[in-house]
Amino acid sequence: MPAIAIRHLSKTFEQKGNSVEALRDISLDIEEGDIYGIIGMSGAGKSTLVRCLNYLERPTSGEVIIGGRDLGTLTEKELREQRSDIAMIFQHFNLLMQKSVLDNVCFPMQIAKKKKDEAKKRALELLETVGLADKADAYPAQLSGGQKQRVAIARALATDPKILLCDEATSALDPQTTQSILALLKEINRKFGITIVIITHQMSVIREICSHVAIVEKGSIVEVGLVEEIFNHPKSRVARSLILSDRAADAASYSGAEGDTADGAELTGWSGESRQRDRIGDDKKLRIVFSENSAFEPVIANMVLKFGTPVNILRADTKNVGGYLIARKDQMKKANTDSFDTLFSELNIDSDRPFEFGHVKVPSCQFETDMEPDYYRLSDRTDEDKALYERNMDWLRKIGVKPMCTCTPYQIGNVPVKGEHCAWMESSAVVYINSVLGARTNCEGTESTTAAMLTGKIPYWGYHCDEHRRGTHLIRVETPILTQKDWGLLGYWVGKIIQDKVPVITGIEKVPVRDMLKHFGAAAASAGGIEMYHIPGITADANTVEEALGGNKPEELKFGMEEKRWAYELLNSCGTDTDVDFVMLGCPHYSIDQVERVAQLVDGKKIKDGVNFWVFVPQPIKDLAIRCGYVDVIEKAGGLVMRDCCPALGQFKPKGAKVMATDSGKQAHYLPNFTGIQSWYGSVEECVNAGITGKWEGTL
């Protein structure tokens, strides 16, 4: 019996009375232990097909049989159990940037309730398998693209899957790194006997690793067979085209900067390095296109060192930078320094020699911090931590960085205008200004934002460019989305399903207030890495679906009651005990309207003894809430209004807290993994009620 049997599979999406057939009558057998390739051009239906293999997308008709079980006949519980046998790795790695390599690999085992010691032992074994045992304590931002993908592979193997789905897993990597990842996949296939399905548009990948291949065009299988046979005797037009492109790429041996050849020169016969050297030496202008996580690579610096030619960055001016220049005690100790210049030279600009920061070149702000400066003792921080925090704030002011200390600077004065190029790094802030305000930024790292502060320059790539802001997926909402809770569930589902692509949302019956969009974006960013979305007629970049798509042919999905319930159950999967001892509100940081709503709900009531009731805001919002009397009402009820910090960033909770209620999809996603706390997600009303009664009574 095949490991995967696909029988007469079809998938049709409905849009405004029109039917779009994404998959047509697909039948395939993938044998146990095989490495099977599925290839096609963009829009061919590959991604829809791979999502049908684990029933993230339900086929319109046909069967997917795995291990002898027809997925279409399983209950939701049975389906979740079956999915534990199917792991997936992606093009852009999808690592948790604030967790170490070891913690990233442990993450799925924690979700599966595996004992901590057992999970750590297994994670270390897997890191040894992928050749990264020495990187256990490192963070994703410190790794190359190939190393990040190795971590993603180790994480995928953590649950001992029988099937590994690889969705464009090497597309963001250079050729040499691609070869090493493919070699690793071969070794995993040999060592563990895992069936591997490779989804790609690169024929070279198929040629290197796969035994069989299916070629997809316009939703149909046009050719299937042994890789060797199809390479030697292609029958379909699309197979011949893919093979020809593959051979042309081999002949060129070229990777890196995109652009026209100098004076119309042909690619064939040129080595990539010599071609690059000649073009740079001719004082040509090159457009370097950064592919997603390659932004972490020191491309410009390497060009200067390798080719000995000065490089100037064009079309990348910014006067709006938001980043992190916050020091921790352990960092100071490890770096053996008391100097912020020395510490941030090492951490943020990767310099072995201290750099005197002086004054930043362009307007810059500090995002939220990892410690509440007024109530720090409630989360096990010390007076020494507080003293370091105050010194840090003084240093920020000295170098010209505005200590806004919030993930929502657009709520307190830093409001980028449509089209403005920014360099921001906080995920929920990035998705908000890209989408709602129409400004332009990628989710930058500490190195790139610090460099932007000092130079006023940023790489011109990703969401700075029109072509990358166009929608890729069309989401039809078929259930009412009216409350902040609804918007959080929609965002979490969208992020989980389409990961880091650009959704276009339709079917919204009521125009949301800005706070709902804020929570939607934060949930989508934390669940999958979304940095841009469109709600035509509501968000900034597009008034129509056609304008949002910009000519792209999207994958079409629906969000109905079934999907809403799935997101709700997943967000609440870490909650078992209904005795709540911590209510966390304000992630992203609350607006003044949200603080007012909390004050209305607790006015004249009392938070139950033993329950920590914390509302998080930036300092200016707290100042306004004090003037309005809201803070007094909340404090009289037994709550606290916390400022300038984030529990997820600081990985803190109240001392001894075990069960949290929150209206933040982002906190429900992150904090259980960071602190081990149980979490319940619901509306602000449900969370306030939990604070008053000490019981979680939320429902969908």
Side-chain angles (χ1 to χ4, degrees):
M1 180 179 295
I4 305 172
I6 306 170
R7 298 287 182 264
H8 305 293
L9 183 76
S10 296
K11 178 63 184 180
T12 301
F13 295 102
E14 300 291 335
Q15 181 189 7
K16 297 181 179 179
N18 297 319
S19 296
V20 178
E21 200 172 12
L23 299 174
R24 302 182 183 91
D25 195 30
I26 288 180
S27 295
L28 285 176
D29 283 342
I30 300 174
E31 300 297 331
E32 186 174 347
D34 201 355
I35 303 180
Y36 202 105
I38 298 174
I39 191 170
M41 302 292 191
S42 295
K46 307 186 299 296
S47 295
T48 300
L49 178 57
V50 75
R51 283 205 310 274
C52 287
L53 296 186
N54 54 14
Y55 255 55
L56 289 177
E57 188 68 58
R58 287 185 173 270
T60 305
S61 61
E63 300 174 336
V64 177
I65 302 168
I66 294 181
R69 305 179 78 188
D70 182 355
L71 300 189
T73 66
L74 304 182
T75 65
E76 283 298 318
K77 181 180 179 181
E78 290 171 334
L79 190 56
R80 285 195 295 270
E81 292 172 351
Q82 185 69 46
R83 286 187 182 128
S84 66
D85 287 337
I86 310 170
M88 199 162 183
I89 59 173
F90 303 90
Q91 178 180 359
H92 305 305
F93 326 126
N94 294 337
L95 301 179
L96 299 171
M97 301 301 286
Q98 293 178 328
K99 294 179 80 69
S100 70
V101 165
L102 181 63
D103 289 339
N104 265 277
V105 180
C106 286
F107 179 62
M109 292 182 282
Q110 292 170 349
I111 297 297
K113 310 296 185 187
K114 198 165 188 175
K115 291 182 179 179
K116 190 173 182 178
D117 289 345
E118 293 178 7
K120 183 178 179 180
K121 181 181 178 183
R122 175 61 174 159
L124 290 171
E125 291 172 352
L126 291 169
L127 288 174
E128 182 74 35
T129 297
V130 301
L132 290 179
D134 60 329
K135 299 292 185 181
D137 295 326
Y139 286 82
Q142 299 170 303
L143 305 180
S144 68
Q147 289 171 328
K148 290 172 188 171
Q149 194 61 284
R150 288 174 180 270
V151 176
I153 292 170
R155 183 180 60 184
L157 297 176
T159 57
D160 297 318
K162 297 176 182 174
I163 296 168
L164 180 61
L165 306 178
C166 305
D167 190 7
E168 300 281 8
T170 60
S171 298
L173 306 176
D174 63 78
Q176 185 175 354
T177 305
T178 294
Q179 289 296 314
S180 71
I181 295 298
L182 295 180
L184 176 61
L185 291 173
K186 285 183 184 177
E187 175 63 17
I188 287 168
N189 171 256
R190 183 195 64 79
K191 184 175 181 179
F192 300 110
I194 295 175
T195 304
I196 299 178
V197 180
I198 304 282
I199 308 297
T200 185
H201 65 276
Q202 299 172 300
M203 212 61 176
S204 58
V205 172
I206 300 295
R207 179 182 58 184
E208 177 67 26
I209 193 174
C210 298
S211 58
H212 294 77
V213 63
I215 299 175
V216 183
E217 185 181 28
K218 296 180 180 178
S220 298
I221 299 291
V222 296
E223 196 164 352
V224 62
L226 292 168
V227 170
E228 183 179 358
E229 178 64 24
I230 288 180
F231 261 85
N232 290 330
H233 306 287
K235 298 180 178 64
S236 63
R237 177 198 57 81
V238 67
R240 291 192 293 271
S241 177
L242 287 166
I243 292 169
L244 183 63
S245 298
D246 179 57
R247 289 170 177 169
D250 278 353
S253 300
Y254 172 72
S255 66
E258 290 187 358
D260 298 330
T261 58
D263 303 320
E266 297 289 334
L267 294 179
T268 305
W270 292 63
S271 74
E273 184 172 321
S274 65
R275 182 170 175 266
Q276 288 174 340
R277 184 180 291 109
D278 287 351
R279 294 178 68 194
I280 293 172
D282 289 340
D283 294 324
K284 300 287 184 180
K285 291 181 181 178
L286 303 180
R287 183 185 182 196
I288 299 177
V289 180
F290 290 81
S291 177
E292 304 294 340
N293 286 289
S294 67
F296 289 104
E297 306 296 330
V299 176
I300 304 298
N302 287 344
M303 288 174 64
V304 175
L305 292 171
K306 191 166 188 175
F307 302 115
T309 301
V311 177
N312 294 313
I313 305 174
L314 304 179
R315 296 182 68 194
D317 293 318
T318 180
K319 294 182 179 177
N320 193 327
V321 184
Y324 289 104
L325 290 164
I326 290 293
R328 298 196 312 268
K329 186 169 55 180
D330 62 319
Q331 293 171 331
M332 287 286 198
K333 185 177 180 180
K334 185 176 181 180
N336 193 28
T337 184
D338 198 43
S339 164
F340 293 107
D341 282 342
T342 300
L343 179 68
F344 293 120
S345 295
E346 180 178 331
L347 292 183
N348 286 29
I349 59 176
D350 198 25
S351 173
D352 294 331
R353 294 180 296 174
F355 173 85
E356 187 174 345
F357 276 67
H359 199 282
V360 296
K361 187 172 181 177
V362 294
S364 305
C365 72
Q366 165 69 39
F367 281 108
E368 76 272 38
T369 68
D370 61 354
M371 187 186 77
E372 214 289 342
D374 300 325
Y375 301 110
Y376 57 93
R377 292 189 181 92
L378 297 179
S379 56
D380 271 337
R381 301 300 173 93
T382 66
D383 291 344
E384 185 181 0
D385 294 321
K386 173 64 180 303
L388 179 62
Y389 173 92
E390 295 296 349
R391 286 181 55 223
N392 206 152
M393 293 297 108
D394 289 341
W395 181 80
L396 288 173
R397 288 187 282 267
K398 175 186 173 184
I399 67 171
V401 175
K402 301 174 183 66
M404 290 186 167
C405 299
T406 179
C407 55
T408 59
Y410 50 84
Q411 294 187 149
I412 61 170
N414 187 351
V415 190
V417 300
K418 184 176 180 179
E420 180 179 354
H421 293 281
C422 305
W424 285 22
M425 66 176 297
E426 210 284 333
S427 61
S428 67
V430 164
V431 69
Y432 188 92
I433 68 167
N434 270 334
S435 309
V436 181
L437 302 181
R440 301 190 170 205
T441 185
N442 299 298
C443 194
E444 300 287 353
T446 54
E447 296 89 347
S448 54
T449 53
T450 306
M453 290 177 184
L454 299 173
T455 65
K457 300 285 186 180
I458 48 172
Y460 188 82
W461 72 288
Y463 295 103
H464 292 283
C465 310
D466 288 341
E467 61 266 29
H468 295 147
R469 298 173 67 87
R470 298 166 185 159
T472 61
H473 291 68
L474 188 63
I475 312 293
R476 302 187 320 278
V477 176
E478 298 180 351
T479 188
I481 303 295
L482 303 173
T483 66
Q484 179 185 305
K485 177 180 175 181
D486 293 337
W487 280 99
L489 292 172
L490 175 61
Y492 199 73
W493 180 85
V494 168
K496 280 291 184 184
I497 297 303
I498 74 168
Q499 295 294 304
D500 57 356
K501 302 301 189 291
V502 182
V504 181
I505 313 295
T506 65
I508 301 300
E509 298 177 356
K510 183 179 179 181
V511 177
V513 299
R514 62 184 183 276
D515 289 326
M516 293 179 181
L517 294 178
K518 177 177 69 178
H519 281 265
F520 166 80
S526 57
I530 285 178
E531 299 176 25
M532 174 86 190
Y533 65 88
H534 300 276
I535 308 176
I538 295 175
T539 51
D541 271 25
N543 289 315
T544 66
V545 170
E546 292 72 23
E547 191 178 354
L549 294 172
N552 284 346
K553 183 180 179 181
E555 291 194 37
E556 298 190 36
L557 303 166
K558 73 172 180 71
F559 180 84
M561 195 61 204
E562 181 182 350
E563 290 75 19
K564 187 176 181 180
R565 185 173 300 281
W566 180 85
Y568 182 81
E569 291 177 353
L570 187 60
L571 269 174
N572 286 289
S573 61
C574 294
T576 56
D577 190 347
T578 57
D579 291 327
V580 171
D581 55 13
F582 177 35
V583 176
M584 190 273 145
L585 304 173
C587 177
H589 280 169
Y590 263 7
S591 68
I592 189 64
D593 294 335
Q594 290 176 295
V595 179
E596 179 186 23
R597 178 58 179 155
V598 175
Q600 291 170 344
L601 291 169
V602 302
D603 192 13
K605 300 180 175 66
K606 199 71 179 173
I607 303 300
K608 186 175 180 178
D609 288 344
V611 176
N612 294 275
F613 189 94
W614 293 357
V615 182
F616 290 82
V617 297
Q619 180 68 65
I621 297 293
K622 183 171 182 178
D623 291 341
L624 181 56
I626 291 172
R627 294 180 66 182
C628 294
Y630 305 149
V631 172
D632 185 55
V633 171
I634 293 170
E635 290 181 349
K636 281 183 178 178
L640 291 174
V641 179
M642 318 285 273
R643 67 177 175 96
D644 294 355
C645 65
C646 170
L649 180 65
Q651 300 187 18
F652 67 80
K653 62 178 181 177
K655 287 186 280 188
K658 296 180 179 179
V659 183
M660 173 180 72
T662 182
D663 66 342
S664 166
K666 183 174 182 176
Q667 288 293 338
H669 177 79
Y670 282 129
L671 211 58
N673 303 306
F674 291 158
T675 69
I677 198 170
Q678 294 183 41
S679 175
W680 294 105
Y681 170 80
S683 67
V684 62
E685 292 82 5
E686 290 170 333
C687 291
V688 170
N689 182 67
I692 294 168
T693 65
K695 288 286 186 181
W696 179 254
E697 298 175 343
T699 62
L700 183 58

